[in-house]
């Protein structure tokens, strides 16, 4: 039996149930959750200075996924009006009607309660409180207060996305240490040069929706200059982890290579913007896509370095 034939034989109730499940999964923004988890597990390795308990990793990831899903769901509920105006988001469940605002709100609160209880009982109370803080920061601080009011929305609203570094560290140590704070700041400085190129690409969408993203309000050159500044701050902050956490050659190489490529791409964007080129030549999405690669490479270095620690001269 072919897949098509199998699909045709599904009852209307089954097809409706599957669509509903897909819609509620989409509310959690799974791709964003994946990126958040990339910054959680490596920090756990660093906190342990080795391989943490597999059970603790799984429990932390499940709790973190539920928490991020809750925050993203609340975001979709509040932003459903502007999502309907943007081509990039017109197919989201609350726009298409595959999910209702009331159902999504209930879903968000259930995920919030579940994630908080899960982390509190199975990991530790500190991780649970940090997770709850991340939900509030994203759903209220960014979505409800900052996003529609200021061009600095991504800068300060991005704090919620930095929280997994603290959650990963606290899950292992039951405290927040300086290495976790430094990695928190790395993600803080990374967020604007990660998101502003996306905003440059979809500038018309944001303008139509009335969202004051920096590229909507400022010239391309101004935005690109800001991207360069934040990129350098990000790379320099990442290097501060070396003396603070006694990092070795593996992390140093990962930070320098990935950071060097990031800064180079940021300067390329500035150079193109300064020439007033078209979107096709500007290619802001190059930096957006590489920014994801950067985080992956850097945090891979964070995870591997404690396992095969090759001390740097003077830090051994």
């Amino acid at each position: 039996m072919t897949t098509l034939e199998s699909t045709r034989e599904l009852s209307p109730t089954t097809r409706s149930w599957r669509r509903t499940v897909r819609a509620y999964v989409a509310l959690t923004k799974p791709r964003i959750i994946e990126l958040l988890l990339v910054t959680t597990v490596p920090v756990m390795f660093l906190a342990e200075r080795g391989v943490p308990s597999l059970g603790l990793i799984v429990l932390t990831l499940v709790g973190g996924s539920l928490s991020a899903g809750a925050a993203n769901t609340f975001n979709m509920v509040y932003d459903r009006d502007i999502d309907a105006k943007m081509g990039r988001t017109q197919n989201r469940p609350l726009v298409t009607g595959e999910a209702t605002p009331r159902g999504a709100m209930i879903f968000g609160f259930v995920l919030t309660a579940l994630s908080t209880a899960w982390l509190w009982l199975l990991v530790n109370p500190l991780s649970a409180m940090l997770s709850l803080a991340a939900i509030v920061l994203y759903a209220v601080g960014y979505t409800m207060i900052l996003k529609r009011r200021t061009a600095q929305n991504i800068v300060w609203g991005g704090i919620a996305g930095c929280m997994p570094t603290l959650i990963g560290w606290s899950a292992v140590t039951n405290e927040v240490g300086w290495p976790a704070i430094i990695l928190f700041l790395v993600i803080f400085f990374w967020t604007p040069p990660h998101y502003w190129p996306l905003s440059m690409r979809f500038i018309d969408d944001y303008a139509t929706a009335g969202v004051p993203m920096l590229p909507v309000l400022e010239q391309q050159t101004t935005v690109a200059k800001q991207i360069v500044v934040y990129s350098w701050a990000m790379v320099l902050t990442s290097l501060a982890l070396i003396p603070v956490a006694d990092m070795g050659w593996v992390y140093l190489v990962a930070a320098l290579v990935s950071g060097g490529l990031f800064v180079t791409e940021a300067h390329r964007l500035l150079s193109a913007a300064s020439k007033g080129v078209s979107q096709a030549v500007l290619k802001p999405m190059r930096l957006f896509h590489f920014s994801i690669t950067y985080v992956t490479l850097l945090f891979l270095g964070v995870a591997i370095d404690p396992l095969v620690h090759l001390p740097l001269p003077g830090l051994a």
Side-chain angles (χ1 to χ4, degrees):
M1 181 182 294
T2 66
T3 302
L4 180 59
E5 290 172 341
S6 176
T7 302
R8 285 174 176 171
E9 290 184 3
L10 293 175
S11 68
T13 301
T14 301
R15 288 197 295 271
S16 176
W17 180 81
R18 288 188 175 184
R19 284 198 299 269
T20 300
V21 170
R22 285 197 297 268
Y24 277 86
V25 170
L27 288 174
T28 67
K29 300 183 184 179
R31 293 184 65 183
I32 293 179
I33 291 177
E34 291 174 9
L35 186 59
L36 295 176
L37 299 183
V38 165
T39 62
T40 303
V41 177
V43 178
M44 296 180 72
F45 275 66
L46 180 59
E48 185 70 32
R49 302 304 299 192
V51 181
S53 159
L54 178 59
L56 180 61
I57 292 175
V58 172
L59 292 173
T60 304
L61 291 184
V62 170
S65 297
L66 294 172
S67 173
N72 291 329
T73 298
F74 289 133
N75 172 265
M76 280 207 193
V77 172
Y78 193 79
D79 278 353
R80 63 188 186 277
D81 59 330
I82 60 177
D83 283 345
K85 300 175 183 178
M86 299 172 61
R88 187 171 63 88
T89 56
Q90 284 180 344
N91 291 322
R92 288 180 171 175
L94 287 166
V95 177
T96 62
E98 292 179 310
T100 65
R102 180 175 181 275
M105 282 295 290
I106 293 173
F107 182 58
F109 279 116
V110 168
L111 290 179
T112 299
L114 186 57
S115 63
T116 304
W118 179 281
L119 290 170
W120 187 288
L121 296 174
L122 301 178
V123 180
N124 60 54
L126 176 58
S127 296
M129 289 296 95
L130 290 170
S131 167
L132 182 59
I135 295 174
V136 174
L137 284 168
Y138 188 70
V140 179
Y142 170 67
T143 303
M144 297 179 67
I145 298 176
L146 295 172
K147 184 172 182 178
R148 306 186 190 212
R149 289 179 171 85
T150 172
Q152 294 298 303
N153 47 20
I154 285 301
V155 177
W156 300 107
I159 290 177
C162 308
M163 297 298 283
T165 60
L166 305 185
I167 295 170
W169 186 275
S170 67
V172 174
T173 66
N174 199 25
E175 63 180 15
V176 174
W178 280 108
I181 293 173
I182 288 174
L183 291 171
F184 175 100
L185 291 173
V186 169
I187 299 301
F188 176 80
F189 290 124
W190 167 85
T191 302
H194 163 68
Y195 202 88
W196 280 337
L198 180 71
S199 303
M200 294 172 79
R201 168 63 179 81
F202 294 100
I203 185 172
D204 292 336
D205 271 0
Y206 286 112
T208 299
V211 180
M213 290 296 177
L214 189 64
V216 175
L217 303 179
E218 300 289 349
Q219 297 294 322
Q220 287 186 157
T221 303
T222 301
V223 179
K225 286 179 180 178
Q226 288 292 308
I227 287 174
V228 168
V229 170
Y230 276 98
S231 298
W232 274 106
M234 174 194 72
V235 173
L236 293 175
T237 303
S238 72
L239 296 177
L241 185 66
I242 295 172
V244 171
D246 187 28
M247 305 302 282
W249 281 103
V250 173
Y251 177 78
L252 175 62
V253 171
L256 288 178
V257 172
S258 61
L261 291 172
F262 196 113
V263 169
T264 298
E265 187 60 31
H267 278 279
R268 181 207 66 81
L269 184 65
L270 174 58
S271 177
S274 299
K275 297 174 183 176
V277 300
S278 65
Q279 275 278 352
V281 179
L282 187 63
K283 297 180 180 178
M285 292 299 284
R286 275 180 46 171
L287 181 55
F288 171 79
H289 290 304
F290 181 74
S291 67
I292 299 173
T293 302
Y294 167 80
V295 166
T296 303
L297 293 175
L298 184 74
F299 279 80
L300 190 61
V302 170
I304 294 176
D305 194 273
L307 303 180
V308 292
H309 188 57
L310 303 174
L312 296 167
L315 295 179

